[in-house]
Amino acid sequence: MSPPPRLRTATPARRKPARASRRAPRPAVATLEMVARAAGVSPSTVSRIINGTAAVSSERRLAVERAIARLDFRPNPAARGLASGRSMTVGVVTQAIDSPYYGEGLRGIEAHLQANGYAPLFMSGHWNARDEERALAQFAARRVDGVIFFAGRLGDKALAAFARLVPTVVTGRRLAGPGLASLKADDEEGARLATRHLAGLGHRRIAFLAGPGDNVDAREREAGYRRALAETGIAFDAGLVAAGDFHESGGLQAVNRLLDRGARFTALFCANDQMAQGACLALARRGLRVPADVSVVGFDDLPGSSYTIPPLTTVRQSVFALGECAARALLEMIGGRAPRLALPAVELVVRESTQRLRA
Amino acid sequence: MSPPPRLRTATPARRKPARASRRAPRPAVATLEMVARAAGVSPSTVSRIINGTAAVSSERRLAVERAIARLDFRPNPAARGLASGRSMTVGVVTQAIDSPYYGEGLRGIEAHLQANGYAPLFMSGHWNARDEERALAQFAARRVDGVIFFAGRLGDKALAAFARLVPTVVTGRRLAGPGLASLKADDEEGARLATRHLAGLGHRRIAFLAGPGDNVDAREREAGYRRALAETGIAFDAGLVAAGDFHESGGLQAVNRLLDRGARFTALFCANDQMAQGACLALARRGLRVPADVSVVGFDDLPGSSYTIPPLTTVRQSVFALGECAARALLEMIGGRAPRLALPAVELVVRESTQRLRA
DNA sequence: TGATGGCATGAAAGCGCTTTCATGTCTCCC
DNA sequence: GGGAGACATGAAAGCGCTTTCATGCCATCA
């Protein structure tokens, strides 16, 4: 095994002057000082140029830029961070890095951050407050410049307290405070759209697969379902509601429970796509066809949802955009500006899992 | 908007002695020096204790540990990185952070890294060599201690060159060199298992949806398909092979092409689950039932594959384990040890998308 | 024409750690 | 009993940047 090749500068080892016998200078990484020397200016000037923090005469600027290019100089972020107090990283707490939902959000965050010279540090909360807290502690220890908290179970109090130390953007709830901003899709409106779509197709017995009760998104989606029912003159029937956990397995079990207790319905609105997927499987197992026997609507429009069988009618809220907006708002806060908190509107995407109720 | 709350130490601002009038000392972060002072020892001793780099008398150790706890001291990673040359971060190049395949791998990486005090920095290559190269450059600039390169299109040469600078583990190909190790599942064996399963069910006309030709995994999966055919005495028929791109859409189109050119088959082996999903949809659109008319096998066993309709028979290679092993091997290399490169064996997971050929 | 600023630049002091090197104290053994 | 280590500790020099402060220079104004 070769020794770990650690990047190192060409300056002689500390207090141990380079032995003259050593031939080829080992692979070295340029430092700001080397650039300064090569360009015949002081380190301060180089710093000013790479940071654009002060005017510099164009001839020196040119010389420095050339030296930077020639030496392939890349400022050491550790040194920068130490001197400036900024790490140019932001922490991102997700629930499950491998879920399609978070994946899309992360992509949005990544895209915006990268365009601005920041790098994301990810950590999973696994839907449990302790892990989320641990992730935040880790981020604080790493001195991230800001944190994006994607959904999660951690209490508002704890989050607000953390935000006093590090600028934070949280999604999936409404919350504000010093150093804290939130971003929330209009889940109620989305659920209303979905339910009205079903009602508009003639369905009257519309079942609902709710999400976890401690999740704000889930509660708002239920509220939207109820509101649409009220608006279209359909009486709410608790017997048509079953709760899931936002996973495929939960959707499957919820439908089984519904069917086992004899609930009769011609349409089913699921609080997210993953549960809708599980629900479709449960329905298929019972010999119920989608959409011929039951129309199904999901929520989120995950990347895979256009390839399920049948392709799923769902509510699109662009998790990608959510991630992007969160990153943008966070950078604005870090920069001391007021964050813009607008999100694109939710919209219904009609595909093949819904159809008009047969007379 | 409140000013960005930057974490700062309690030491008086540089050259500008704290005005005595200032009341509450602003939220301060403890430094090693403060701990040393509080415990009545030198900074060196504190450093030795938190790093375990030398023996320290138990009384001092106790005093220091108490001081650390009381001041809630967390060493500043930037300072550490600057002084030691290690950043305690590793870069991870994935292709698409939002794909279920990579998501699972990332989870494995995250789990192992976190257990060892390292943090992952993610960046997407988007299946194109330029972005991958850019990601590597970014990582080099950020002075990561190592890199995990998850699949990708970048040439072996470029990768080997990079690995001379930063220890690197690459998956999805076989490659070794200074600072470079690779991890590769036995794709050929997996494909062989899948195809033999189909043959064992009596199928003779087994179509194959290949992956992109420039992908090693894809090529090995095709090799396994052919080998199984040969082993079971079935003649290879190029008319039963169509190429896809590892995405759902590619699988859908490939099946359409197959059917359009009149190919007749009773079984279909897809080079990955995502294509299998698209294939199932294409089949359904043509009125072909899975598995009644066509048995389908995938590859990867993605989290969602047990909830497709029907649940997919597939080859499990545990991408999670792959991620974990990659992380482990990388840390071993960083530590100057020889990396262990063993991966769990692939296995066939039989679900409901395959059935015996009806006579 | 001399005081007045503004401007570009360099010197140097840190940022908060790690890591030599030097030193003082013990213990051990011939 | 005295010298040799072994051991625990502290002093101090960086790591590679940023940022203040001081300075020399030139154009400007009354």
Side-chain angles (χ1 to χ4, degrees), chain B residues 103-143:
Chain B
E104 212 191 322
L106 295 186
R107 200 159 55 84
I109 293 175
E110 186 197 6
H112 189 84
L113 249 32
Q114 192 175 328
N116 288 274
Y118 280 79
L121 229 37
F122 294 120
M123 211 149 270
S124 301
H126 307 118
W127 282 116
N128 99 269
R130 276 198 33 175
D131 282 7
E132 293 168 15
E133 196 124 43
R134 197 151 49 93
L136 290 185
Q138 274 268 353
F139 287 148
R142 286 210 170 247
R143 310 295 201 273

Side-chain angles (χ1 to χ4, degrees), chain A residues 49-137:
Chain A
I49 288 175
I50 64 180
N51 293 300
T53 41
V56 173
S57 78
S58 57
E59 55 180 329
R60 275 169 220 260
R61 148 163 285 124
L62 202 69
V64 168
E65 277 165 358
R66 263 208 276 272
I68 288 179
R70 189 154 49 80
L71 299 179
D72 189 26
F73 167 69
R74 258 92 50 96
N76 180 324
R80 254 183 155 167
L82 186 56
S84 72
R86 281 172 243 111
S87 67
M88 298 306 279
T89 60
V90 322
V92 179
V93 181
T94 65
Q95 295 315 314
I97 201 170
D98 59 334
S99 111
Y101 179 86
Y102 292 104
E104 212 192 320
L106 295 186
R107 199 159 55 83
I109 292 175
E110 187 197 6
H112 190 85
L113 248 33
Q114 193 175 327
N116 289 275
Y118 280 79
L121 230 37
F122 294 121
M123 210 149 272
S124 301
H126 307 119
W127 283 117
N128 100 268
R130 276 199 31 176
D131 282 7
E132 293 168 15
E133 196 124 43
R134 196 152 49 94
L136 290 185

Side-chain angles (χ1 to χ4, degrees), chain B residues 9 15 31-32 44 47 51 73 76 79-80 83 86:
Chain B
T9 71
R15 243 166 290 184
T31 69
L32 181 142
S44 334
S47 173
N51 292 300
F73 168 69
N76 180 326
R80 256 184 151 165
R86 282 173 244 109

Side-chain angles (χ1 to χ4, degrees), chain B residues 60 69 88 92 103 109 111 134 184 202 205 214 222 242 252 282 310 321 323 325 348-349 356:
Chain B
R60 276 171 221 259
M88 298 306 280
V92 180
I109 293 175
R134 197 151 49 93
K184 174 94 184 62
R205 304 199 55 79
D214 62 350
E222 173 153 7
L252 185 140
C325 288
L348 185 73
V349 181
R356 176 158 292 284

